[in-house]
Amino acid sequence: MCGILGVVAKNPVNQLLYDGLLVLQHRGQDAAGIVTSDGATFHMHKANGLVADVFRTRNMRSLLGNMGIAHVRYPTAGDAFSAAEAQPFYVNSPFGIVLGHNGNLTNADQLREDLFRQDLRHVNTTSDSEVLLNVLAHELASCAANHQLDAETIFKAVAGVHRRCRGAYAVVAMISGYGLLAFRDPHGIRPLVFGSAETAQGPEYLVASESVALDVLGFKLIRDVVPGEAILIDESGNFFSQQCVEKTSLNPCIFEYVYLARPDSVIDGISVYETRLRMGVSLAKKIRRQFEDLDIDVVIPIPDTSRPSALQLANQLNVPYREGFIKNRYIGRTFIMPGQSLRKKSVRQKLNAIGIEFEGKNVLLVDDSIVRGTTSHQIVQMAREAGANKVYFASAAPPVRFPNVYGIDMPTRAELLATGRSDEEIALEIGADAVIYQDLDALVEAVREGRPAITTFDSSCFDGNYITGDITPEYLAEIESSRGRPTQDGAGLSSRQLDLNLNEND
């Protein structure tokens, strides 16, 4: 996952985009970038690192103009360590175009070959986002008459992108001299919303990965960009939208509600916070139904994402809820650190147990999910060292058994703790006395209750059902093979080599 922003305003947008990236920092910590448009000139600054580290006063002063896009990167394709793969990306032919992308193209290799052999375009990095940019550039060139663009022509080019690209993509782009373009894949997997703010000079528009960015920046949410739709705001602030695909379906990534999104966001009309509360209720029902023998003295969340679920779980079980772990706010999100060695090193720097909440008690730890399992193992150890009598571990999500190919770093079955293991074996791996998982149908119902009209979700990491219909065993095998190749920090090594007991939490 990544975070994207795009804005067309009546005043300079550099500070607005910077503030928006801070709000979306949870969606990517590896790199950040901003591009603004000042007349016919783009101004860009991007680098590896957190938003506050990438941008200095001198950088902000150079980002001139009333229109811009911004990106925070969490790499799922390409080189996690290359500054060249920080976004947005830029091409100057046939028009000046910059683009930021959240998601993952599943046919990027074929597109890269087609771009080189047929479209005569060169892709300089291993990023699928640069591939997507060049596909858009080629389609714009093919559709433009006499090298001129209008809204209809731009939407026709987006339709061409949809015909060629597969996978998950939410996109913001700027076309020099024309305006801000945003679009979402025909399956609606990755989120994208837009809103407006009224000013004395006229309306301003903001496009973002999550509604929380609109809230914080003072914009009123209009709606989500629907699957297959493109929106265009020209430099004067005129708004255009068009459906660019005949056949679409809405299949939001269910892991957004479990972990990725901020709880104060609303995605596809569903409150993330309320969904997580309902996840706690359904998990409590399962414990009552199947784990009556557990003598639970206290419910403790693993901060931060699991707090709403843990709170409702404790309320439903009539068991005290306590904050048993203190989080160091200056350590990044474990789940999205680029290498396994960094994940393992950070856990005890990140969390510290409050002994009085554990000593002599049977503790139920609640986390949003268990992915790889290493941090789960260390957290259970911390609870025991703090004096817990028994340690039970509940996951507000079902077992993660399948790779995610749509923009979340769950690429190989070998790296997933639940693959090939029973609940009892998982409990043994992480050192818990029992492990309790949410049922998938209960998770889906907890999300759907917020908007019953949505009938399907991308829950491929739980059930192996890939919404786009193009994921073959051979494709997954190739991903796993490339994942197994060594990288700078060992992140490409197999799970057996790296002690694959890993849970990811906020």
Side-chain angles (χ1 to χ4, degrees), residues 35 159 172 227 277 310 331 477 489:
V35 181
V172 291
L277 291 175
I331 298 292
D489 68 341

Side-chain angles (χ1 to χ4, degrees), residues 252-313:
C253 172
I254 205 164
F255 211 74
E256 291 278 355
Y257 301 95
V258 170
Y259 171 81
L260 300 180
R262 271 181 49 154
D264 43 347
S265 284
V266 177
I267 295 177
D268 288 307
I270 302 172
S271 164
V272 175
Y273 178 74
E274 290 182 348
T275 293
R276 291 175 184 171
L277 291 175
R278 291 191 289 267
M279 288 159 60
V281 173
S282 58
L283 196 54
K285 290 178 181 177
K286 180 172 184 177
I287 290 174
R288 280 207 191 99
R289 187 173 62 248
Q290 299 181 22
F291 296 88
E292 289 181 314
D293 58 319
L294 298 187
D295 183 16
I296 302 169
D297 296 318
V298 63
V299 173
I300 294 177
I302 299 170
D304 286 319
T305 317
S306 64
R307 281 195 172 108
S309 298
L311 180 61
Q312 283 296 79
L313 172 61

Side-chain angles (χ1 to χ4, degrees), residues 165-238:
C165 294
R166 300 288 179 267
Y169 49 94
V171 174
V172 291
M174 280 194 304
I175 307 171
S176 180
Y178 292 94
L180 175 72
L181 173 68
F183 55 92
R184 193 177 181 193
D185 73 77
H187 297 279
I189 297 172
R190 301 259 70 86
L192 192 64
V193 299
F194 69 95
S196 66
E198 293 297 329
T199 70
Q201 298 97 334
E204 299 179 332
Y205 290 92
L206 178 70
V207 183
S209 292
E210 294 185 31
S211 64
V212 64
L214 279 66
D215 299 338
V216 172
L217 298 177
F219 285 74
K220 181 180 179 181
L221 175 66
I222 296 176
R223 61 177 174 84
D224 298 85
V225 177
V226 301
E229 182 186 24
I231 65 173
L232 174 70
I233 303 107
D234 67 21
E235 293 178 310
S236 299
N238 299 306

Side-chain angles (χ1 to χ4, degrees), residues 116-137:
F116 183 73
R117 300 294 180 188
Q118 300 173 21
D119 302 341
L120 306 181
R121 301 191 69 90
H122 174 66
V123 177
N124 197 49
T125 71
T126 58
S127 172
D128 62 335
S129 301
E130 191 186 8
V131 170
L132 182 54
L133 169 60
N134 277 274
V135 172
L136 174 61

Side-chain angles (χ1 to χ4, degrees), residues 104-108 405 470-480:
N104 197 54
L105 299 183
T106 56
N107 64 335
V405 299
D470 60 338
I471 305 304
T472 64
E474 292 76 19
Y475 179 87
L476 295 178
E478 173 57 29
I479 289 179
E480 296 184 351

Side-chain angles (χ1 to χ4, degrees), residues 325-344:
F325 294 102
I326 297 299
K327 182 179 179 181
N328 182 345
R329 299 289 172 185
Y330 303 97
I331 298 292
R333 264 186 149 190
T334 308
F335 178 84
I336 58 178
M337 287 185 175
Q340 178 84 331
S341 61
L342 289 180
R343 294 189 190 102
K344 294 175 70 175

